[in-house]
């Protein structure tokens, strides 16, 4: 039964990974750089940053990029924590709570593995810590299509 026990990441280390990811952001239109770090039960971390587009509405958020990268690497669950941070280069960090679309995208990966990841929204004095289920109650997910 079961695999190895889930590794919970160090909160500040995961936030540091998100902050480092934000350096790669392509955000010439908003000048708001966001980084996201996804922690998995096996101890691995997958990051992403926002990728904007000249057709503004097509821009991709950091969390979506990270989730797509993780799924492209074959992950289908095990998501235990997410850290997000944003800000303008040269300015102070800003707290970012995942947008509605990103909540839904993260929910897909979480539900596939039956986890309810912690979401750490960093940037302010205090780190806001919420479960994905608090950010997206009554989520529609893969199970709804059974
Ligand atoms: N953004 C993210 O990457 N994640 C969020 O959760 C909120 C917003 C990005 C989208 C856009 O490139 C920039 O931040 C300003 O909205």
């Amino acid at each position: 039964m079961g695999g190895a026990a889930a590794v919970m990441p160090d909160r500040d280390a995961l936030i540091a990974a998100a902050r480092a990811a934000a350096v790669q952001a392509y955000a010439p239109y908003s000048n708001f750089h966001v980084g996201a770090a996804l922690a998995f039960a096996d101890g691995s971390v997958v990051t992403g940053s926002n990728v904007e587009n000249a057709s503004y509405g097509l821009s991709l958020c950091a969390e979506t990029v990270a989730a797509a990268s993780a799924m492209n690497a074959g992950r289908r669950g095990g998501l235990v924590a997410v850290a997000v941070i944003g800000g303008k280069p040269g300015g102070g960090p800003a707290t970012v709570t995942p947008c509605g679309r990103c909540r839904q995208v993260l929910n897909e990966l979480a539900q596939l593995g039956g986890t309810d990841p912690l979401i750490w929204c960093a940037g302010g004095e205090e780190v806001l810590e919420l479960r994905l289920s608090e950010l997206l109650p009554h989520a529609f997910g893969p199970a709804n299509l059974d």
Side-chain angles (χ1 to χ4, degrees):
M1 272 287 288
V7 177
M8 269 314 284
D10 177 73
R11 187 192 76 169
D12 291 343
L14 199 66
I15 292 169
R19 190 181 291 113
V23 172
Q24 304 300 331
Y26 172 68
Y29 307 109
S30 71
N31 197 36
F32 193 75
H33 293 213
V34 183
L38 276 46
F40 291 86
D42 64 0
S44 62
V45 171
V46 177
T47 62
S49 62
N50 53 331
V51 178
E52 296 189 344
N53 192 278
S55 178
Y56 301 167
L58 300 185
S59 297
L60 300 173
C61 290
E63 302 92 312
T64 289
V65 170
S69 179
M71 293 194 78
N72 184 57
R75 293 178 193 284
R76 296 292 184 268
L79 182 63
V80 292
V82 176
V84 193
I85 192 165
K88 303 200 176 209
T95 304
V96 176
T97 53
C99 81
R101 183 179 189 268
C102 287
R103 295 175 194 198
Q104 182 69 24
V105 169
L106 290 170
N107 179 68
E108 186 78 16
L109 192 47
Q111 267 200 17
L112 283 176
T115 61
D116 186 8
L118 281 171
I119 313 292
W120 288 313
C121 309
E125 296 236 320
E126 308 262 315
V127 175
L128 188 58
E129 177 182 289
L130 294 157
R131 289 276 171 193
L132 181 59
S133 62
E134 297 176 88
L135 286 170
L136 190 69
H138 307 289
F140 181 87
N144 294 87
L145 297 176
D146 285 344

